[in-house]
Amino acid sequence: MPSDPAGTPDAPLPPEFGFIRRHFQPLAGEGALGLADDAALVRPPAGRDLVIALDTMVEGVHFLPDDPADTVGRKLLRCNLSDLAAMDATPLGYLLSVSRPPGRDDNWFAGFAAGLHDDQARYGVTLLGGDTTGTAGPLVLSLTILGHVARGRALRRNGARDGDGVWVTGTIGDGALGLRALRGELDDPAGVLAHRYRLPEPRLGLGLGGIASAAMDISDGLVQDLGHLARESGIGARIDASLVPLSQAARQAGAAWLPVCLGGGDDYELLLAVPPSHEAALLRAAAARGVPVTRIGQFEAGTQGVAVHDASGRPLTLDRTGWSHF
Amino acid sequence: MPSDPAGTPDAPLPPEFGFIRRHFQPLAGEGALGLADDAALVRPPAGRDLVIALDTMVEGVHFLPDDPADTVGRKLLRCNLSDLAAMDATPLGYLLSVSRPPGRDDNWFAGFAAGLHDDQARYGVTLLGGDTTGTAGPLVLSLTILGHVARGRALRRNGARDGDGVWVTGTIGDGALGLRALRGELDDPAGVLAHRYRLPEPRLGLGLGGIASAAMDISDGLVQDLGHLARESGIGARIDASLVPLSQAARQAGAAWLPVCLGGGDDYELLLAVPPSHEAALLRAAAARGVPVTRIGQFEAGTQGVAVHDASGRPLTLDRTGWSHF
């Protein structure tokens, strides 16, 4: 007589097994070993370096409790994909950690997994493994992303040189304005800004390897992140606030919101250092992917920090330069 | 005039940067890029598959609020290393996610990082990257471990065959008894059991690749985990409870605690399926590392689940077969 209810065919498995089977087994791909083993197996393509990053999102800190579950899943994946984009890497797959509060029901996770499923197809990744636990606190989601890049060719933050242009992809500030709109501080009649907050667009596949001298993604705010890139490169940067590309929705919000656009987080656009001799190649690469790129300033040796000025060259002082999680 | 306090040399960086610099920068190794970039770079050795796993620990669920901080860090790392050991993989490095409640002070994280530092040297791994966030709930720690294994030679759970012996490393039940001792339910005069609960010993480097036909680490309890391995292999297993190796401390606890030893979690010993023709090789490999191994039963085709019997062959019924996190 088998004495182990967990091991007999008729007895229920522990609840977390059902949870994983229902929501996450359908997301598993090659290398995940059916989510049945202790670890996943990954074989990076020959001659490529493996790129790996991890981003954690906490309910009430990185997403709002009433954000739709599918967009929470997709944002978690996309924020991580954006880290790969910043290094010019190609996505491979991901691992997921879910720490689940008692009040978060199964329907919510069905939506969360559906969002991941849609984005898996969009970005060519599958789930490799992970862990699910309970917590007495808010929902904590952590995702580890794997990608690969041509050996020794990953873009870094420390490569900006004197005279390189400061470039950004897309438009800046929509994510930060979207958060304010969802909090009721700002009109967002078409929901465009809220959509940008909830669903950032990782700028994968631009092929910036031989073009940019440094890159990072803008997650904590343009000015703060540019400060990081400049510091890692050992130089300073000057940007013209009037050149920072704003969406139509951000322009409609009015000039009073400019500090939030320059300082707020959640853009997930790329920030690039590009030497003048590579500008034509950048514009071609961006046009090939349909991604707008804009030159907003330049890196300058012998300076430190980020200087922001207006169209007439007068220095601007910002109220808010970024976002810190503590 | 630079207008970005975050970018100027005199202004403070956001608090999370100081937190990372103080506690985690000293743990960073090659590939971490100084924890300054969006992702880490890893180059697995030629001809090896990459092995990757993730384990999350939540305060109050996987460790006790008053467990020493250094053992929490070491246990987190060791549980993950144990997943590599189960696949016969060699550790490479790890990424760390810390979701920090407001009440958890800097001293605690100094101890946590010191524990990781000690174990990094012991197991030959370094920190590759990660993320730190705040949370309003309990401390949530998630670790992603990377390792490598000979191409196509990773041990899996699904390889057990009829007639293979059921083997375990070390002794079984100390972790589960240690948790009870820390809760005051059990005497533990020398603190041996509590120590085993707080500091499991990952069974790395046994070189089981050509010896075992299946393996996993015992984290949720011997009987439950054996049930998983048997199910993945499409067969059943029988074990003799009287053969399960118990430590002196566990034997002193008395026979009433046997169900906890067989069913409780936190062992992090290896559970192996080994064909009789490989037993001599297993014993040699284990002796070379000074790791005890014990045969406790066998796998049987045509059956399902796990049958536990006593020394005279009578079936045993367990009160508690494992541990589920929900």
Side-chain angles (χ1 to χ4, degrees), chain A residues 3 16 43 49 56 97 316, chain B residues 3 43 49 56 97 316 325:
Chain A
S3 56
E16 69 200 81
R43 195 171 294 181
D49 284 338
T56 299
S97 169
L316 286 176
Chain B
S3 56
R43 195 172 294 179
D49 284 338
T56 300
S97 168
L316 286 174
H325 296 304

Side-chain angles (χ1 to χ4, degrees), chain A residues 289-309:
Chain A
R289 301 286 297 190
V291 174
V293 287
T294 308
R295 189 183 186 284
I296 61 170
Q298 67 179 41
F299 292 92
E300 295 182 340
T303 68
Q304 283 184 305
V306 177
V308 183
H309 59 85

Side-chain angles (χ1 to χ4, degrees), chain A residues 3 7 9 16-17 36-38 40 42-43 49-50 52 56 97 100 131 144 156-157 217 304-305 316 325-326, chain B residues 3 7 9 16 36-38 40 42-43 49-50 52 56 97 100 131 144 156-157 217 228 304-305 316 325-326:
Chain A
S3 56
E16 69 200 81
F17 281 74
D37 275 271
D38 287 290
V42 177
R43 195 171 294 181
D49 284 338
L50 194 86
I52 184 162
T56 299
S97 169
R100 177 189 186 185
D131 197 9
T144 301
R156 302 276 309 274
R157 292 185 182 182
D217 74 328
Q304 283 184 305
L316 286 176
H325 297 305
F326 286 6
Chain B
S3 56
E16 69 200 82
D37 275 271
D38 288 291
V42 178
R43 195 172 294 179
D49 284 338
L50 194 88
I52 184 163
T56 300
S97 168
R100 177 189 187 185
D131 197 9
T144 301
R156 302 276 309 273
R157 293 186 182 180
D217 75 329
H228 298 326
Q304 283 185 305
L316 286 174
H325 296 304
F326 287 6

